[in-house]
Amino acid sequence: MQEHPLNPANGKPFDAVVVGAGFAGLYMLYRLRCLGFSARVYEAGSGVGGTWFWNWYPGARCDVESMEYSYSFSKELQQEWEWTERYASQPEILKYLNHVADRFDLRRDIQLETRVLSAAFDGATNQWTIRTDRGDEIQARFCVMATGCLSAAKIPDIPGVEDFRGNCYHTGQWPHDGVDFTGQKVGVIGTGSSGIQAIPLIARQAAHLFVFQRTPHFSVPAQNGPIPSEVKQDWKSRSTEFRRQAQRTHFGLLVEEGKESALAVSLDDREREYERRWRRGGLGFAGAYADIFINKNANDTAAEFVRRKIRGVVRNPAVAEKLLPNGYPLGTKRLCVDTAYYETFNRENVTLVDIRSTPIKRITSTSLQTDSAEYCLDATVFATGFDAFTGALCKIEIRGRDASTLKQKWSAGPRTYLGLAVSGFPNLFVITGPGSPSVLSNMVPSIEQHVEWIADCLVFSRQHKYSTVEATPDAENGWVSHVNAVANSTLFPLANSWYVGANVPGKPRIFMPYIGGVGAYKQRCDAVAAAGYEGFTFRR
Ligand code: NA7
C-alpha cells in the first residue's frame, strides 16, 4: 500500500487531486504548480500519455495535424519540438508527452499504476476524499477529472467470447511490446477510426484478414508525409497568430471553412472543390461548405463524392458496394482519416464481412460465427470503440454533496454546466467533459482552455477565501437545454454514433459534446468568468 494522505511538504491536505496523466492531467498539474497550488496526479497506466499510452495498435495516429495537436502554453516547447510528419504517429505523440513530463519536472507529483476508485465530497470539511486501488486515501480541496473522453474501452457482449482460445486484443488496450500476426488468420471487428487505421497494417502481416463491418464509415485520405521545413518554420514564427485564428473557428482547427452553401455553386465547381480538398487530405474535407452539417441535401453532395471515390478504388464492385457508407450523413459519425484503407480491400488476403446483413452469432474456441458462415481465427482484434464521455467518469464512484453518485445523477444522460462542472458536486471539475466541444474540436487547445479556466477559478476562490465553488442547478439546466438545442439544429443526432451513446446498449441517447463552435464556446466561458463566475455559487 502506498500512502500519501497528506501533502508531505506541509502536512496539510492537497489543494487538488488530478485523475489522469494524459494531455489534460499533465497540463493541469503544471498550471496548478505555477500558481502555487499543491497537487497529486493519479494515473492508472504505467506511464504518462493517456490516450496515447493505451492506443498502441498498429497505425495509431492523430487525425489532427501535429503542429496544431500540441501544447501552446510554452513558447519554448513549441519552438524546440520537431514534429516529423503532418499527422503524428502514436509513438511520436507519446514521446512528446514524455518529453513534456520531463521538461517540466512533472513526474514527482504523478503516481502511476494507480486507479482512482472513489472520490467523495465531505460537506463538513469541504474536502474531497479520494481512494485508489493501491490503498491510498487522500484529502484535497479540489478534484479535477482529466480522465479523457475516449478511455473506457468497450468489448461487445458477444456470446462465447470468453471461450476463444486465440489471442484477443482491443485497440485501446494494445500490448506495448507489439503483436506479430505473421502467418495468422486475424479477425478485426469494427471499422471506425481505429479499425480503419489498423486494418491496412494488419493486412500486410496476417496470412488472412477478415474485416467484420457493421456500419461502413466515411473516410478521407490523410495524404500524410514529412512536414516540409518551410511549413515548420512558418508555423513556428507565426504560431501565436495561428493559434488565435484557430480559437475563433468552429472546430478549433486551421482548416479552410467554406462560407457558401454546397447547393449555391455549380456541380462542376463543387466537384473541383471536393477534389481539391480530397487531394489535400484530412478532416478539412468536411469544411468545404457552410451547410454540410446542417442541410441533408448539401451533405449528400459530399457523401456522394466519397462514395464515387470508393467505387473508383475498390476493384471488386460487390466489395465496393458493401463499403459505401449510407444511412447517416457524412461527418455525423466521426469522419475517419486513413492511409490506403480502401485499397486494402483489393488484396487477395482480405475479406470484408458485412455483419449488418449477417450479424455475429457467437465466438467459439477457434472461430467467429455469423448468421451465414463460420470464420476460423487465430486472433481477434476488437476495434469496437469506447464508452465515450461518461464511461471513465462513471467507473469511479464519485459522491457529491448529498452522497448520491455522479452515475446516478447522469442515469438519464450527462448534465453539466459548460462541460466543466456539475451541480451537487462542489469543487469538482471535468476537463473536456460532456457539454463542451471536446471531441468536436482540436482536443489539445480545448484542454488548454479548460485547464486555464479551471486554474483561474481556483485563483479566484483563493483570493476571496472561498471554500467551495459549485454550479447552480439553474445554470446547469440552462446549459443542457442549450447544448441539446444546438445539436438538434444540426444533422448530428441523425446518426447512431458514440456522440449519442448509440454504441453502448442501454445508454441514454443524448448528444454529448457541444457543437455550438469552439469560438462561441470560449467566449461564453470567458464571459462567465468575467461576470464573477456567473452560474456558480461560492461559499466560505
Ligand atoms: P468507434 O468509432 O466507436 O468505432 C467502433 C467500431 O466498432 C464501429 O465500426 C462500430 O460499428 C463497431 N462496433 C461496435 N460495437 C460493435 C458490435 N457489438 N458488433 C460489431 N461491431 C461493433 O471507435 P474507434 O476506436 O474506431 O474510434 C474512436 C475515436 O477515437 C475516433 O472517432 C477518434 O476520435 C479517435 P457501428 O458504427 O457502431 O455500427
Side-chain angles (χ1 to χ4, degrees):
M1 171 169 132
Q2 299 199 6
E3 273 192 52
H4 301 275
L6 297 171
N7 181 352
N10 58 12
K12 289 186 185 159
F14 283 90
D15 292 318
V17 155
V18 178
V19 187
F23 266 102
L26 292 177
Y27 183 39
M28 191 75 240
L29 172 60
Y30 172 80
R31 194 79 182 178
L32 287 167
R33 260 204 213 152
C34 290
L35 294 166
F37 292 107
S38 61
R40 172 148 292 268
V41 179
Y42 289 113
E43 164 57 54
S46 59
V48 301
T51 288
W52 302 104
F53 174 85
W54 296 104
N55 283 268
W56 211 287
Y57 61 86
R61 188 177 287 288
C62 190
D63 58 8
V64 170
E65 297 194 26
S66 36
M67 307 297 280
E68 291 186 68
Y69 192 81
S70 53
Y71 289 121
S72 65
F73 71 84
S74 160
K75 299 280 170 282
E76 296 76 20
L77 174 67
Q78 210 159 236
Q79 294 302 321
E80 282 160 21
W81 187 261
E82 295 289 331
W83 292 106
T84 62
E85 290 178 280
R86 181 177 172 199
Y87 295 98
S89 66
Q90 172 268 336
E92 191 168 12
I93 302 173
L94 189 60
K95 196 168 149 204
Y96 172 75
L97 287 169
N98 274 287
H99 170 73
V100 169
D102 291 330
R103 193 192 188 290
F104 298 101
D105 186 25
L106 299 177
R107 294 186 198 274
R108 64 187 154 89
D109 289 325
I110 302 172
Q111 187 173 318
L112 299 172
E113 295 182 299
T114 307
R115 188 172 285 282
V116 169
L117 299 177
S118 68
F121 182 75
D122 179 349
T125 60
N126 291 327
Q127 298 281 345
W128 282 91
T129 299
I130 286 91
R131 293 191 174 85
T132 77
D133 64 351
R134 304 275 296 252
D136 309 278
E137 184 177 313
I138 187 177
Q139 260 83 42
R141 173 76 70 209
F142 295 96
C143 184
V144 183
M145 294 296 172
T147 39
C149 301
L150 293 158
S151 43
K154 197 183 72 59
I155 292 197
D157 241 346
I158 300 174
V161 66
E162 63 290 345
D163 300 333
F164 187 61
R165 285 209 308 265
N167 288 322
C168 274
Y169 307 96
H170 188 286
T171 48
Q173 295 173 336
W174 202 262
H176 286 194
D177 41 7
V179 178
D180 185 0
F181 291 113
T182 307
Q184 297 189 15
K185 290 192 284 300
V186 181
V188 174
I189 304 175
T191 53
S193 297
S194 305
I196 279 178
Q197 289 184 336
I199 284 163
L201 292 170
I202 298 176
R204 281 194 226 154
Q205 210 177 47
H208 200 93
L209 173 63
F210 297 95
V211 176
F212 297 96
Q213 170 193 267
R214 185 164 71 181
T215 309
H217 284 60
F218 288 95
S219 189
V220 295
Q223 314 291 16
N224 191 28
I227 310 175
S229 58
E230 62 277 14
V231 172
K232 272 196 225 177
Q233 266 339 64
D234 187 40
W235 172 270
K236 287 191 183 193
S237 57
R238 295 168 60 201
S239 56
T240 309
E241 175 193 337
F242 285 146
R243 298 282 193 180
R244 275 212 200 101
Q245 222 174 302
Q247 270 179 357
R248 289 193 292 266
T249 66
H250 199 91
F251 293 102
L253 290 169
L254 284 175
V255 296
E256 280 174 83
E257 289 182 328
K259 301 281 180 259
E260 287 177 298
S261 162
L263 306 174
V265 297
S266 73
L267 187 68
D268 283 353
D269 284 351
R270 205 163 55 213
E271 206 60 15
R272 244 193 315 278
E273 180 62 4
Y274 286 142
E275 185 62 37
R276 186 177 74 80
R277 288 181 183 251
W278 187 267
R279 284 171 193 254
R280 165 134 180 60
L283 295 172
F285 176 80
Y289 293 102
D291 51 358
I292 285 190
F293 291 116
I294 51 176
N295 180 324
K296 178 68 171 49
N297 293 333
N299 191 287
D300 283 345
T301 64
E304 203 39 52
F305 179 90
V306 177
R307 291 188 199 108
R308 273 199 304 279
K309 286 288 184 192
I310 298 170
R311 287 195 189 99
V313 171
V314 180
R315 287 199 286 271
N316 180 330
V319 175
E321 211 53 32
K322 281 194 223 168
L323 284 166
L324 300 184
N326 56 61
Y328 65 95
L330 175 141
T332 56
K333 280 165 89 79
R334 174 84 174 197
L335 186 62
C336 301
V337 177
D338 71 277
T339 298
Y341 175 64
Y342 294 115
E343 289 82 345
T344 300
F345 293 91
N346 292 332
R347 294 176 67 102
E348 299 272 294
N349 71 332
V350 175
T351 304
L352 178 66
V353 183
D354 173 7
I355 52 169
R356 192 153 55 171
S357 57
T358 57
I360 298 176
K361 248 188 2 205
R362 59 176 295 109
I363 292 182
T364 71
S365 58
T366 55
S367 69
L368 186 151
Q369 295 175 354
T370 67
D371 275 356
S372 62
E374 177 163 13
Y375 303 89
C376 287
L377 300 176
D378 301 307
T380 305
V381 173
F382 290 94
T384 43
F386 302 87
D387 183 354
F389 304 104
T390 56
L393 289 166
C394 290
K395 271 205 280 194
I396 304 171
E397 189 185 297
I398 304 173
R399 290 193 184 274
R401 187 181 285 291
D402 71 359
S404 59
T405 64
L406 188 70
K407 191 174 173 185
Q408 286 163 339
K409 165 149 181 162
W410 285 2
S411 59
R415 303 183 67 76
T416 69
Y417 179 38
L418 301 172
L420 272 163
V422 185
S423 102
F425 293 79
N427 294 357
L428 177 82
F429 293 100
V430 183
I431 301 179
T432 62
S436 74
S438 61
V439 297
L440 295 175
S441 68
N442 179 4
M443 283 299 285
V444 182
S446 286
I447 283 169
E448 290 188 312
Q449 186 240 335
H450 267 192
V451 165
E452 286 159 21
W453 192 96
I454 293 166
D456 288 351
C457 182
L458 264 59
V459 169
F460 179 86
S461 295
R462 182 170 63 188
Q463 278 167 352
H464 293 84
K465 301 194 167 30
Y466 292 128
S467 299
T468 62
V469 48
E470 182 179 349
T472 67
D474 280 354
E476 183 175 277
N477 291 339
W479 183 250
V480 170
S481 304
H482 173 63
V483 170
N484 289 332
V486 177
N488 289 333
S489 68
T490 72
L491 301 174
F492 277 90
L494 297 180
N496 288 325
S497 65
W498 50 263
Y499 299 144
V500 296
N503 63 329
V504 178
K507 195 164 171 172
R509 194 181 174 104
I510 303 284
F511 189 79
M512 289 177 277
Y514 178 58
I515 182 67
V518 163
Y521 174 78
K522 183 175 181 314
Q523 272 181 15
R524 178 69 186 265
C525 291
D526 290 348
V528 163
Y533 295 91
E534 190 182 12
F536 287 88
T537 305
F538 291 85
R539 293 197 177 88
R540 289 220 156 80

